[in-house]
Amino acid sequence: MHECNTGHEVLVVVGQVRPTPGAAAPSLHVLLWQHSLGPAAGRWALPGGEVRDDEDLPTSATRQLDEKVDVRELSHLESVSDFSDPGRVPGRRVFASGFLGVLPSDADPDVPDDTAWFRVDDLPETAFDHAEIIARARIRLAAKLSYSTLGFALAPEEFTLSLLAQLYGAALGHPVDPTNLQRILTRRGELVRCGRSAPPGPSGGRPAALYRFAERRLRITDQFATLRPPGPADG
Amino acid sequence: MHECNTGHEVLVVVGQVRPTPGAAAPSLHVLLWQHSLGPAAGRWALPGGEVRDDEDLPTSATRQLDEKVDVRELSHLESVSDFSDPGRVPGRRVFASGFLGVLPSDADPDVPDDTAWFRVDDLPETAFDHAEIIARARIRLAAKLSYSTLGFALAPEEFTLSLLAQLYGAALGHPVDPTNLQRILTRRGELVRCGRSAPPGPSGGRPAALYRFAERRLRITDQFATLRPPGPADG
C-alpha cells in the first residue's frame, strides 16, 4: 500500500436546446459552474466530482447533478469517454468519466447562483480539460441522433415538426428541414401523430399538427435489420 | 491522504472472427487467459491490468496486450464502458475501463500458453464481471457495424463478398446475405472493386471478384447527412 494519490471523478455535460438571445433559432447549451477558489478560480467547470466508495459511476453522476446543480429532469444519461491523461489536473492523478446528460427543451431546472447556461459555440474560459469533454459529448450527441432514437431526449412529450426540426438542427449544428426530418423519422417508425394541433403562435397562421415519439427509449436504428432472418414474431 | 484502496485497470475484449471447429461458417471469438492463482484461480479472464501512473487508458490497453498476450495487430481499439460496481472484485475497489479491440480475420498472433480463443457463444467460466464486459463489447461491435464503417476492422485488406458476409454474420450473430450486404455498403460508398479475382477455392467454381474498403478508418454513416446544407465543396 502507498499513499493514495489517485482519484476518480465523474463530470457531466448537461446539454439542452434553449432559446438563443437575439436569434430566432434555439441553440445547444451546456450547464457550467464557476470555480471561486483553487487552481481554476474564475474558470467555468462541468458539474460533477469525486465518486464515493459506495456508488458506481452513473449513480454518482445522478447524485452530483441533484446535489450540486439541482438538475433532476434528465431524459438521457450516458457515459461518453474516460479522460485519463496523467497530468489532466494539477497535483494528483484523477481519472474522469465524462457523461452526456440531456434535458428536454421544456425542462426548466432552478440552478444555483454560481451556475449558468452557455451556448456550446460560445463557451467561457473552462477549467482543466473540460472543453475537450464538452467537445466529445457534443460529437456523441450529434452522431447518436443519426444512428439511434435519441432525438426523443431533446423534445417535450408533444411537439410540432417545426419545433422538432429546430431541436435537431441545434444539436446537429446545421439547419434541418422539417419535411426531410419527418420522412426519416417516419421511415424508422419513430413519429406518431397525436391527432391534435398546437394553438396558433403569436404570428397566427395555420394550426400545426402535434406529434410525439412512439417510444421515449433509446434504440439503435439498425441498418442491417433487413438482413436478419425472419423470427417467430415476424410470422 | 488515506491508504490507497482504489485501483484502475483496463480490460480488453479482443474480438476476431475465426474458423468454427466442426462448422462451415466462422464465428466471433474472444481471447482469454486462465488465472492460475488467487481468488479467480481456474477461471478465464480478459487481458489487461492496472494502469500505470504515467500512461492514459488507450496507451495502457495497447501496452498490456503487447506485453501480456503478444497481440499487436489490432485494426481497431475503442473504449466501451466503465465497470464501477464497488464490489466488482474482492478486497479493494478497482474501476475497470472495458475496451473493444478488433483483429482482422487474417491476423494470427502467437499467444502465450495460458491464453486461448473462445467462441463468444461458448465461453468458459470467467472471472469477476468479465462475462458482462464481453457481452457489452459484443453489443457495441454489432451496433457499430450498423451505424459506422467499422466492418473494415474485421476484414483482411482484400476479400470476396462471400467472405465479407461471413465476417459480418459472425459479428452480428445472424446470417448475412452477400448481395444485400453489397447493396448497403455500396450505397454508403464503402466498397471498392480491386479489379481482380480470388483464386478458385478447393471446390472450384467461378473465380470471385475481390473487393477492399474505400478507407480503413472509422466514420459514422450519417443518416442526416442529406439534411446538411450544401457546403463550398459541394457547390
Side-chain angles (χ1 to χ4, degrees):
Chain A
M1 291 284 190
H2 53 85
E3 292 278 291
C4 196
N5 200 31
T6 300
H8 200 121
E9 64 181 358
V10 292
L11 293 167
V12 189
V13 179
V14 179
Q16 185 182 30
V17 180
R18 300 172 63 89
T20 314
S27 48
L28 184 62
H29 288 64
V30 294
L31 190 65
L32 300 173
W33 66 278
Q34 191 169 31
H35 279 252
S36 56
L37 298 169
R43 291 179 174 260
W44 292 82
L46 293 167
E50 290 270 330
V51 180
R52 286 186 184 156
D53 286 348
D54 63 348
E55 64 189 5
D56 66 12
L57 294 167
T59 304
S60 185
T62 305
R63 173 183 62 79
Q64 302 205 51
L65 287 184
D66 180 349
E67 291 179 0
K68 299 189 177 177
V69 288
D70 282 319
V71 166
R72 289 168 206 89
E73 307 93 329
L74 290 187
S75 44
H76 179 67
L77 177 70
E78 73 173 70
S79 164
V80 172
S81 188
D82 290 319
F83 295 84
S84 58
D85 187 296
R88 59 173 292 277
V89 300
R92 62 195 276 262
R93 177 154 208 185
V94 183
F95 292 95
S97 289
F99 280 75
L100 166 67
V102 181
L103 278 175
S105 63
D106 59 339
D108 191 15
D110 188 18
V111 301
D113 285 343
D114 64 349
T115 303
W117 291 98
F118 291 90
R119 292 179 53 209
V120 291
D121 285 328
D122 190 17
L123 293 176
E125 280 212 292
T126 47
F128 314 124
D129 54 358
H130 292 202
E132 184 193 345
I133 301 174
I134 295 168
R136 289 287 295 273
R138 185 184 186 180
I139 290 169
R140 171 70 64 86
L141 172 61
K144 206 151 187 168
L145 286 176
S146 185
Y147 65 72
S148 82
T149 59
L150 182 58
F152 79 84
L154 300 171
E157 288 286 334
E158 302 187 349
F159 44 82
T160 64
L161 285 177
S162 159
L163 173 63
L164 191 66
Q166 286 194 327
L167 298 175
Y168 272 78
L172 290 169
H174 59 75
V176 167
D177 177 73
T179 307
N180 284 336
L181 181 66
Q182 179 183 22
R183 180 175 48 77
I184 293 174
L185 296 181
T186 302
R187 189 171 62 206
R188 290 182 185 170
E190 286 187 61
L191 271 190
V192 175
R193 277 186 89 127
C194 299
R196 290 176 295 108
S197 295
S203 57
R206 282 197 305 170
L210 282 171
Y211 291 78
R212 60 180 172 80
F213 280 97
E215 306 184 285
R216 294 182 73 86
R217 184 173 76 84
L218 192 69
R219 273 191 302 110
I220 302 298
T221 53
D222 183 355
Q223 294 182 290
F224 291 108
T226 56
L227 306 183
R228 202 170 290 155
D234 302 313
Chain B
M1 290 284 187
H2 52 87
E3 291 278 291
C4 197
N5 199 31
T6 299
H8 199 120
E9 65 182 359
V10 293
L11 293 168
V12 189
V13 179
V14 178
Q16 185 182 32
V17 180
R18 301 173 61 90
T20 315
S27 48
L28 184 63
H29 287 65
V30 295
L31 190 65
L32 300 173
W33 66 278
Q34 191 168 31
H35 279 252
S36 56
L37 298 170
R43 289 178 176 262
W44 292 82
L46 293 167
E50 290 269 331
V51 180
R52 287 186 185 159
D53 286 347
D54 64 348
E55 63 188 7
D56 65 13
L57 295 167
T59 305
S60 185
T62 304
R63 173 183 62 79
Q64 301 204 54
L65 287 183
D66 179 351
E67 290 178 2
K68 298 189 177 176
V69 289
D70 282 318
V71 166
R72 287 166 208 92
E73 307 95 328
L74 290 187
S75 45
H76 180 67
L77 177 71
E78 73 174 71
S79 163
V80 171
S81 188
D82 290 320
F83 296 83
S84 58
D85 188 296
R88 60 173 290 278
V89 300
R92 62 196 275 262
R93 178 155 206 186
V94 183
F95 291 95
S97 289
F99 280 75
L100 166 68
V102 182
L103 278 176
S105 64
D106 60 339
D108 192 15
D110 189 16
V111 300
D113 285 345
D114 64 351
T115 302
W117 291 99
F118 291 90
R119 292 179 55 209
V120 290
D121 285 328
D122 189 17
L123 294 176
E125 280 212 293
T126 47
F128 314 123
D129 55 357
H130 293 203
E132 184 193 345
I133 301 174
I134 295 167
R136 289 287 296 273
R138 185 185 187 181
I139 289 168
R140 171 70 63 88
L141 173 60
K144 206 151 189 170
L145 287 176
S146 184
Y147 66 71
S148 82
T149 58
L150 183 58
F152 80 84
L154 300 170
E157 288 285 334
E158 301 186 350
F159 44 80
T160 64
L161 286 176
S162 158
L163 173 64
L164 191 66
Q166 287 194 327
L167 299 176
Y168 271 79
L172 291 169
H174 59 76
V176 167
D177 177 74
T179 307
N180 285 336
L181 181 66
Q182 178 183 25
R183 180 173 50 76
I184 292 174
L185 296 181
T186 301
R187 190 170 61 205
R188 290 180 184 171
E190 287 188 60
L191 270 189
V192 175
R193 277 188 89 129
C194 299
R196 291 176 295 106
S197 295
S203 57
R206 283 196 305 170
L210 282 172
Y211 291 79
R212 60 181 172 79
F213 280 97
E215 303 184 287
R216 294 181 73 85
R217 185 174 76 82
L218 191 69
R219 273 191 303 111
I220 302 298
T221 54
D222 183 354
Q223 295 183 289
F224 291 107
T226 56
L227 305 184
R228 203 171 286 155
D234 304 311

